[in-house]
Amino acid sequence: MIFTDEDAVIGVFDSGSGGLAVLKELRASLPDQRFIYYGDHGNAPYGDRDADSIYALTLSSLTQLFAMGCSLVVLACNTAAATGLRRLQQTWLPVHYPDKRVIGVVVPMVEALTGVPWMAACDTGRRGVAGKTVAVFATRYTVNSRIFVDETAKRAPEINVVQQACPSLVKLIEAGAPLPALRRAVRRYVALLRHRLEGAHLSAALLGCTHYPLIEALFAEALPDGVEIFSQPKITAQSLVAYLARHPEFRSDLGPGVSFYTSTAPEAITRLAQRLLGDSQIQFQRLEACKAQV
Ligand code: DGL
């Protein structure tokens, strides 16, 4: 379905199915809004790619969403955000799409963690975890980028951030791996993280990849009791509600709804999405690749 520029549909982008958990919360918080979801499943996972390739794939995916009438896109992919959200906001959008906006998922989560929101409307009511040790679980690329470490240090330098890359998790989730295999993998990554803590008490864990909230229960099971888990779907929804309150021009007045697109054969992607979200209405359609202007 192609909308016109005036239609202001809200796009949600991820390398694959992880953004579906974010989309679910966006729809719950903004039930009157029209969304388009695009998963670049044909090129996932992004987390093992290099920066140039992730950036190029992100630009062409955004170009797809803009061509379908999205004025605002939620970049529901930490790996893409770590590679170049700031760069594309500052250099690519102003030149090629000055009227479009792209917002991310990393900063709202760090603000929720540190209790230092950029505005009162986005205040999650948390007081933050200052002076504590916090774990970040993310893709290899996101961990190497140190985006969560740096964004936390800017707001709360006293928080000790310990990172753990979980390179097999996105592949397992996208392959529809059975629960025992996912459970084993999560336990192994949590054990590796705990080993590196050298006895420090863990206060909170950030699920810094949008695929991981789909298996949040397995993280809760594997982490020690009392560790607060921060996952992005709810936090992102709160930040989008606040953003639209400040920028009502990006609200959609088409009425509620969502369309699902992928860069690969849609059948298996549809089955996985229906299972992950427990929603038999989800139907993905394939989009042909398009080239971004650079
Ligand atoms: N959901 C993406 C993220 O938040 C996964 C990236 C990947 O494809 O490896 O980072």
Side-chain angles (χ1 to χ4, degrees):
M1 197 181 302
I2 309 296
F3 301 99
T4 66
D5 269 358
E6 297 78 50
D7 292 331
V9 185
I10 300 172
V12 180
F13 168 65
D14 182 36
S15 60
S17 307
L20 290 171
V22 175
L23 175 73
K24 187 176 179 184
E25 289 299 333
L26 299 183
R27 292 179 76 193
S29 297
L30 294 158
D32 62 334
Q33 293 297 291
R34 180 74 61 98
F35 295 95
I36 291 180
Y37 184 87
Y38 179 51
D40 190 11
H41 298 87
N43 293 301
Y46 280 12
D48 296 332
R49 291 178 174 274
D50 63 39
D52 287 348
S53 141
I54 298 167
Y55 191 64
L57 290 169
T58 303
L59 295 194
S60 54
S61 299
L62 291 172
T63 301
Q64 297 273 25
L65 285 164
F66 294 156
M68 286 190 286
C70 294
S71 302
L72 172 68
V73 176
V74 178
L75 194 59
C77 179
N78 294 270
T79 307
T83 312
L85 176 56
R86 202 154 287 163
R87 173 152 64 118
L88 75 85
Q89 283 170 331
Q90 289 173 355
T91 61
W92 184 68
L93 282 183
V95 173
H96 300 291
Y97 299 99
D99 301 329
K100 313 279 190 190
R101 296 291 178 272
V102 179
I103 60 175
V105 288
V106 172
V107 165
M109 174 120 111
V110 171
E111 287 169 343
L113 171 80
T114 57
V116 186
W118 85 92
M119 53 182 285
C122 187
D123 197 336
T124 59
R126 297 174 194 278
R127 288 188 317 277
V129 291
K132 307 279 175 64
T133 294
V134 164
V136 171
F137 296 95
T139 65
R140 204 191 319 260
Y141 187 93
T142 302
V143 163
N144 288 341
S145 78
R146 296 179 60 82
I147 189 166
F148 281 102
V149 177
D150 294 344
E151 291 294 337
T152 302
K154 275 185 213 164
R155 293 165 178 81
E158 66 281 9
I159 293 180
N160 175 31
V161 179
V162 183
Q163 302 192 93
Q164 178 61 49
C166 311
S168 70
L169 284 188
V170 169
K171 284 178 218 152
L172 286 170
I173 293 169
E174 291 290 350
L179 209 55
L182 289 163
R183 180 175 283 123
R184 266 197 309 278
V186 170
R187 284 198 176 149
R188 186 160 48 85
Y189 291 129
V190 169
L192 285 170
L193 181 280
R194 290 184 74 182
H195 183 70
R196 297 207 333 276
L197 285 177
E198 294 168 351
H201 173 76
L202 192 61
S203 304
L206 266 62
L207 305 187
C209 168
T210 51
H211 280 73
Y212 303 171
L214 295 166
I215 51 168
E216 184 171 332
L218 299 181
F219 277 95
E221 204 180 272
L223 285 161
D225 286 346
V227 175
E228 185 178 8
I229 297 181
F230 287 71
S231 76
Q232 288 167 321
K234 281 205 168 64
I235 294 168
T236 305
Q238 285 168 339
S239 80
L240 182 61
V241 168
Y243 186 87
L244 290 177
R246 283 186 298 143
H247 300 282
E249 67 276 21
F250 290 108
R251 292 186 69 86
S252 169
D253 52 13
L254 288 167
V258 57
S259 320
F260 296 90
Y261 294 92
T262 175
S263 55
T264 191
E267 295 78 13
I269 306 300
T270 294
R271 280 195 300 278
L272 180 69
Q274 290 182 347
R275 182 158 72 75
L276 289 173
L277 295 195
D279 179 352
S280 59
Q281 301 298 309
I282 296 175
Q283 289 293 336
F284 272 85
Q285 298 169 61
R286 185 178 190 151
L287 269 190
E288 293 313 319
C290 85
K291 223 173 148 35
Q293 298 184 64
V294 281

